[in-house]
Amino acid sequence: MKTAEIAQRYLDYFEKNGHTIVPSASLVTDDPALLFTVAGMVPFIPYLSGDVPAPYPRAADNQKCIRTNDIEEVGKTPRHGTFFQMLGNWSFGDYFKEGAIRYAWELLTTSEEEGGLGFDPKDLWVTVYEEDDEAHDLWLRLTDLPEERIQRLGKDTNYWSTGLPGPAGPCSEIFFDRGPAYGIDGGPATDDDRYVEIWNLVFMQYEITDVRSKYDFTIVGELPNKNIDTGMGLERIAFLKQGVDNMYETDQVRPVLDAAVALSGKAYGADHDDDVRFRVVADHVRSSLMLLSDGVTPANEGRGYILRRLMRRVIRSMRLLGVDGPTFATLFAASRDAMKDAYPIVGADYDRLVTYALAEEATFLRTLAAGSENLDASIAAAKDAGGTTIGGAEAFLLHDTYGFPIDLTMEIVEEAGLTVDRDAFDTLMHEQRARAKADARSRKRQLADTSVYRDFRAKGETVFTGYTDWETESTVLGLLVDGAPAQRAVQGQIAEVILAETSLYAESGGQVADKGVIVGPGYELEVLDVQRPVPGLVSHTVEVTSGEVGVGQPATSVVDAVNRRAAQQAHSATHLVHAALRDTLGKSATQAGSLNRAGYMRFDFSWGQTLSEATKTEIEEIANNAVRDNLQVTTRVLPLDEAKAAGAMALFGEKYGDTVRMVDIGGPWSRELCGGTHVGSSAEIGLINLVGESSVGASTRRVEALVGLDAFRELAAERAIVSQLSTSLKTPKDQLASRVADLAASLKAAEKRIAQFEAKALESRLPELAGSAQATGAFRLVAQSLGVAASADDVRTLALQVRERVGAGAVIALGAVVGGRPVVIVATDDAARAAGAKAGVLAKNAAAVLGGGGGGRDDVAQGGGTDPDALPHALAAVTRALEIPGA
């Protein structure tokens, strides 16, 4: 049974049983506590917690998920994957334990011919929370499970909570017994891979607070509505129904594994370690493709870092499988073909998605080359020093700075006949992870408890009137002071105000929140921020500037007209620039993020190379031509499918319901789904001035522009500078560029002549320096400070010349100040090195005194630092080192 068929059978069953079928949400979640949708319940959290009324009493879905907390287990067990699909059925105050158990058992054990999944009841086991007698008895009454296949387990396995205050409850898990060939007898309590968990039924019935750990908390009481949250792992069901040993061999994953086998020339099933690598490749390529399809791009932080890590683990695994060159073109194509039927976007948008993947692969392959050079240097240094070990700190530096995997470091080091201090490396990694976890916990603690908005949201959605009205009369529905509900707020306090209607725009879609005031009888509030803490509810963060505001009072929201008008100009300008980019670069230049505020817009888009000046000028001209043409801006509210059929573009990071708002500028020329505010016609934008273009990732560029009056002021300032330069240089404006170029060339020539004079001045000191050589043991030492020098290369050249003049046993240490920083060059000849004087070691001694670092070859080396006044002491350190045997 194919994976897609299993999912369809599931959805068909629950639709037949009165459930609304809900499409999968994005892998990128709105939840500020999470980077990704890590579980099937994430999109339903507002309904499960009661913060937002559920739009349906019962639902079912197939939700895309990404989870990387068990990433090290991928490939080692039959069930761990970073991307997975979670089938779920949900009840929001409708049916409870009996219904959830009845539905699960019926679907699992009904024959395939009758539309079920066809599991034999004798292969199924169930666990329940040890204190949940009700669930235990229901399993006995509703199914033919014998008592011995219903096991009671503790909170660590059979009690669900998020680890935060809110809903919680016991759960019941269903397991499939793979048989004695896969492990020991004894049921799920053995925690053996023989028993595969396939479905978890969460009975969400309690509200908890004072959460001390995931399993240590205080139960406040029962939830107003008891909910059902279930999750059945689609990949787990697939590998069981397809008769394979693990999820990596199912129809949606195995093609990538086979492609990796073909690229490597190795056999799958021949070697355990290689098999793990093949599975890692198969899993991570699919996960990367699905993340890219939901708008995530490789980066050094946040979601982008997780994607980058997955991709780099693929490259590392392929390298360990013997493939050093590019592989993503083949691997990602295999994943596309396996997934496009279930997720058409990976086929339709593949050219754009693979561009990111190929750019990331090329970047990391270059990184590996750079890391290898550093590792080779460390290996050589260790061997020269007679050592057998590469320090853990060096291995950690390679990992942390270059992204060089530790197992690859160990492989290369072992090939060189050395070892890595793995214990020291693991200690440093543990410390780094502990810091990251502490930081994450700190951020998590800082998140507002959205349950405080539950009662406000229950009164209905906040009505936004600001598309047409910039001043709206309403009522204060609620107040929060210091995060807690309050009846009033007085002058000087910061508070959150909930209104029934508002004309103030809440930050979303790249457009920042409105500025403005809220006024009422005897009070005035300055609006500091406007946000949507839960879907459908607008909260205004305000400072009470006069009087006292209370719940139930009349309130009028007033938009700052000047700021809103400028923000609308910027937002509409963003749409024009997007259209101009696509007109100039092609349809693959799609949005990857934006920011619009009064007078300024920033737009990120998928593109892999710097824009030429001619291209930037063309984009700017196309956008300003659209302003000149005074194109009409129109908005329509219509079904999502109808908007997409009309060619409307969905914007990165936005979530859309069944009904959407479509914004047209000039008809289909610019047509996007957008909830932001806009000008009435393009001429109101005034002017768009592109002021910046830069890279924000391997395949993402950013353009920045000033809009309206801000754009004019920038051009006026540039005009004043040009006028001033024209006057100062006594050159017409149209000749300024060539005049400045001539001056720059003259300055460069003068600097070159000065450098030549300085080099000759240094060279003239050659006889004096050579004559100053003093016998120091077996060596003839010259240790002199030269004062200021033009470059370290000049000092190096002089040191080599002095070495030739001094003769056998020469050790030359010359110091100078170059660009305000101290430099020491050390050169030694064959006789000096035979006697133990190594330039690299001596340069390090000098650099330590200068407050910096140094090193190099045994014959010539360089050290530097930050303290020019320490140069005499650094040269003295070289002299002292020569007195030590073995220096």
Side-chain angles (χ1 to χ4, degrees):
M1 192 182 295
K2 299 293 187 184
T3 303
E5 182 187 348
I6 296 169
Q8 195 58 52
R9 282 174 179 251
Y10 183 94
L11 298 176
D12 289 346
Y13 172 82
F14 280 102
E15 185 173 32
K16 183 178 67 177
N17 283 282
H19 292 66
T20 299
I21 304 304
V22 180
S24 174
S26 170
L27 289 169
V28 178
T29 175
D30 287 330
D31 191 327
L34 300 170
L35 288 176
F36 297 116
T37 301
V38 296
M41 55 84 65
V42 170
F44 296 98
I45 287 176
Y47 310 146
L48 295 169
S49 64
D51 292 347
V52 177
Y56 24 66
R58 53 176 70 181
D61 69 335
N62 178 19
Q63 175 60 49
K64 300 179 293 184
C65 302
I66 284 281
R67 191 183 298 169
T68 58
N69 55 326
D70 291 329
I71 195 169
E72 299 298 336
E73 296 302 312
V74 171
K76 299 175 183 176
T77 74
R79 63 186 187 277
H80 279 97
T82 51
F83 172 84
F84 58 97
Q85 299 158 88
M86 188 61 72
L87 299 165
N89 58 285
W90 314 85
S91 167
F92 308 105
D94 190 7
Y95 62 84
F96 197 47
K97 292 182 184 179
E98 181 170 346
I101 291 171
R102 189 189 307 276
Y103 287 138
W105 189 256
E106 182 175 88
L107 177 59
L108 285 173
T109 59
T110 297
S111 69
E112 293 183 15
E113 292 74 19
E114 296 176 286
L117 294 177
F119 283 96
D120 191 329
K122 70 179 178 57
D123 294 327
L124 300 178
W125 289 66
V126 165
T127 64
V128 297
Y129 177 49
E130 57 192 358
E131 298 178 11
D132 192 354
D133 295 333
E134 180 186 7
H136 174 271
D137 295 345
L138 283 169
W139 278 110
L140 282 177
R141 178 165 63 86
L142 298 174
T143 74
D144 51 3
L145 276 171
E147 174 81 37
E148 61 269 19
R149 280 196 276 128
I150 304 173
Q151 295 184 324
R152 293 178 183 260
L153 299 177
K155 271 187 179 179
D156 58 334
T157 59
N158 280 71
Y159 205 97
W160 178 89
S161 79
T162 62
L164 293 169
C171 61
S172 181
E173 297 177 331
I174 306 171
F175 290 79
F176 178 82
D177 180 4
R178 303 170 76 197
Y182 289 93
I184 61 174
D185 196 5
T190 62
D191 195 28
D192 191 85
D193 280 342
R194 167 176 169 173
Y195 302 93
V196 179
E197 178 200 334
I198 56 175
W199 206 338
N200 186 13
L201 315 179
V202 176
F203 309 129
M204 204 174 294
Q205 61 189 105
Y206 300 114
E207 184 162 1
I208 62 172
T209 187
D210 190 22
V211 179
R212 298 169 289 277
S213 75
K214 193 168 183 179
Y215 309 110
D216 184 14
F217 43 75
T218 300
I219 296 177
V220 178
E222 293 200 343
L223 291 169
N225 290 316
K226 296 178 181 179
N227 301 319
I228 287 295
D229 157 14
T230 84
M232 180 162 71
L234 178 55
E235 282 76 11
R236 298 188 183 189
I237 296 294
F239 87 71
L240 294 174
K241 295 303 294 181
Q242 291 174 20
V244 295
D245 284 341
N246 53 66
M247 61 164 285
Y248 316 103
E249 298 174 17
T250 60
D251 60 303
Q252 288 187 347
V253 189
R254 180 65 187 249
V256 184
L257 190 153
D258 290 339
V261 167
L263 287 168
S264 70
K266 295 189 175 185
Y268 181 61
D271 178 84
H272 171 75
D273 290 341
D274 283 348
D275 287 352
V276 170
R277 291 164 187 149
F278 283 128
R279 294 168 191 158
V280 167
V281 169
D283 171 83
H284 287 8
V285 166
R286 183 172 75 143
S287 298
S288 298
L289 180 65
M290 298 309 296
L291 284 170
L292 286 166
S293 73
D294 272 353
V296 182
T297 55
N300 285 329
E301 59 184 12
R303 298 180 179 97
Y305 173 74
I306 300 297
L307 173 58
R308 172 162 285 168
R309 185 184 180 200
L310 291 171
M311 288 183 172
R312 292 186 170 189
R313 279 172 61 90
V314 172
I315 297 169
R316 177 196 70 183
S317 296
M318 290 303 297
R319 183 176 175 122
L320 294 174
L321 287 165
V323 184
D324 292 337
T327 62
F328 277 11
T330 300
L331 297 175
F332 275 79
S335 189
R336 172 202 60 197
D337 294 343
M339 297 299 293
K340 66 183 180 182
D341 289 341
Y343 299 98
I345 189 174
V346 303
D349 209 15
Y350 181 72
D351 288 345
R352 182 181 69 84
L353 306 182
V354 79
T355 298
Y356 287 107
L358 296 179
E360 181 63 21
E361 180 180 40
T363 298
F364 189 49
L365 288 174
R366 289 193 298 270
T367 294
L368 285 177
S372 295
E373 289 181 10
N374 283 269
L375 182 54
D376 290 344
S378 295
I379 291 170
K383 287 185 172 180
D384 288 346
T388 60
T389 303
I390 298 295
E394 291 178 83
F396 180 77
L397 180 66
L398 283 166
H399 163 83
D400 201 42
T401 302
Y402 295 97
F404 211 75
I406 181 59
D407 49 1
L408 192 54
T409 298
M410 293 178 68
E411 178 188 17
I412 294 171
V413 169
E414 287 169 4
E415 286 175 356
L418 305 177
T419 60
V420 175
D421 186 346
R422 185 60 191 264
D423 289 342
F425 174 86
D426 289 342
T427 298
L428 291 168
M429 279 298 296
H430 176 76
E431 291 172 355
Q432 184 188 62
R433 287 170 178 160
R435 288 192 297 270
K437 287 180 180 178
D439 182 52
R441 284 194 298 269
S442 174
R443 289 196 303 271
K444 202 170 185 180
R445 284 194 297 268
Q446 293 168 12
L447 294 172
D449 180 2
T450 58
S451 65
V452 299
Y453 301 103
R454 186 180 302 159
D455 292 340
F456 306 139
R457 182 61 181 81
K459 297 174 183 178
E461 293 193 30
T462 307
V463 178
F464 176 61
T465 63
Y467 291 132
T468 55
D469 301 322
W470 292 10
E471 185 172 316
T472 296
E473 295 181 358
S474 186
T475 304
V476 177
L477 292 183
L479 286 167
L480 294 173
V481 176
D482 295 329
Q487 287 301 305
R488 59 190 61 254
V490 300
Q491 185 171 341
Q493 282 189 311
I494 304 295
E496 286 184 67
V497 176
I498 312 297
L499 304 178
E501 301 87 15
T502 182
S503 57
L504 293 155
Y505 183 80
E507 179 180 357
S508 64
Q511 182 175 334
V512 300
D514 271 337
K515 295 180 180 179
V517 295
I518 298 173
V519 296
Y523 70 84
E524 180 170 325
L525 316 175
E526 179 186 356
V527 177
L528 307 177
D529 194 13
V530 191
Q531 297 289 334
R532 297 181 186 272
V534 296
L537 186 76
V538 174
S539 172
H540 311 76
T541 300
V542 303
E543 180 180 358
V544 184
T545 53
S546 66
E548 179 180 298
V549 60
V551 174
Q553 286 187 288
T556 300
S557 56
V558 182
V559 174
D560 181 327
V562 173
N563 181 77
R564 165 72 82 82
R565 192 171 291 111
Q568 290 184 165
Q569 289 175 311
H571 201 156
S572 297
T574 302
H575 285 223
L576 296 187
V577 170
H578 189 189
L581 280 163
R582 290 169 64 79
D583 192 21
T584 305
L585 303 177
K587 302 305 181 185
S588 61
T590 53
Q591 180 178 358
S594 67
L595 174 67
N596 317 291
R597 62 169 183 260
Y600 170 85
M601 59 143 287
R602 185 183 77 203
F603 188 83
D604 297 344
F605 60 100
S606 54
W607 197 250
Q609 56 192 15
T610 304
L611 301 185
S612 68
E613 289 300 321
T615 300
K616 287 187 285 187
T617 299
E618 183 180 0
I619 291 166
E620 188 177 51
E621 186 172 335
I622 291 172
N624 279 296
N625 282 343
V627 173
R628 177 204 62 196
D629 293 342
N630 197 24
L631 304 174
Q632 285 301 114
V633 179
T634 59
T635 61
R636 284 183 285 165
V637 176
L638 67 170
L640 176 61
D641 291 342
E642 187 178 332
K644 287 184 175 179
M649 292 195 62
L651 300 187
F652 173 82
E654 284 291 276
K655 306 295 185 293
Y656 301 102
D658 295 333
T659 303
V660 295
R661 182 170 181 262
M662 186 171 73
V663 177
D664 287 359
I665 304 179
W669 186 73
S670 170
R671 176 169 287 168
E672 301 187 12
L673 303 183
C674 181
T677 64
H678 289 273
V679 297
S681 66
S682 61
E684 295 177 32
I685 294 171
L687 181 66
I688 301 171
N689 178 13
L690 287 184
V691 294
E693 190 266 342
S694 58
S695 170
V696 288
S699 298
T700 305
R701 307 295 298 180
R702 169 174 293 170
V703 291
E704 297 176 88
L706 297 176
V707 181
L709 276 175
D710 289 74
F712 171 76
R713 292 186 186 107
E714 176 71 9
L715 292 173
E718 291 179 356
R719 181 179 62 192
I721 293 171
V722 169
S723 179
Q724 184 180 356
L725 285 172
S726 179
T727 300
S728 299
L729 298 176
K730 296 181 174 60
T731 303
K733 294 177 183 178
D734 60 349
Q735 297 176 23
L736 268 180
S738 60
R739 174 66 171 144
V740 170
D742 290 342
L743 288 173
S746 297
L747 178 60
K748 187 174 182 179
E751 289 174 341
K752 185 176 180 179
R753 287 195 298 271
I754 291 170
Q756 289 170 344
F757 289 139
E758 290 178 341
K760 287 183 178 179
L762 279 179
E763 189 177 346
S764 69
R765 298 186 61 180
L766 177 57
E768 167 204 340
L769 292 168
S772 69
Q774 295 182 348
T776 303
F779 311 111
R780 290 182 57 76
L781 171 66
V782 176
Q784 295 283 339
S785 177
L786 304 177
V788 177
S791 71
D793 285 343
D794 290 343
V795 180
R796 178 185 294 263
T797 299
L798 183 58
L800 295 176
Q801 291 172 338
V802 174
R803 182 180 67 181
E804 296 305 314
R805 290 254 187 132
V806 167
V811 176
I812 314 301
L814 300 182
V817 178
V818 177
R821 298 176 68 88
V823 171
V824 172
I825 303 293
V826 180
T828 61
D829 68 0
D830 291 341
R833 291 193 293 277
K838 296 180 179 180
V841 175
L842 296 172
K844 282 186 179 180
N845 287 334
V849 177
L850 296 174
R857 302 195 308 268
D858 290 347
D859 61 332
V860 62
Q862 179 176 325
T866 58
D867 185 5
D869 294 336
L871 264 177
H873 303 295
L875 295 170
V878 174
T879 303
R880 287 194 301 274
L882 290 176
E883 298 169 358
I884 301 173

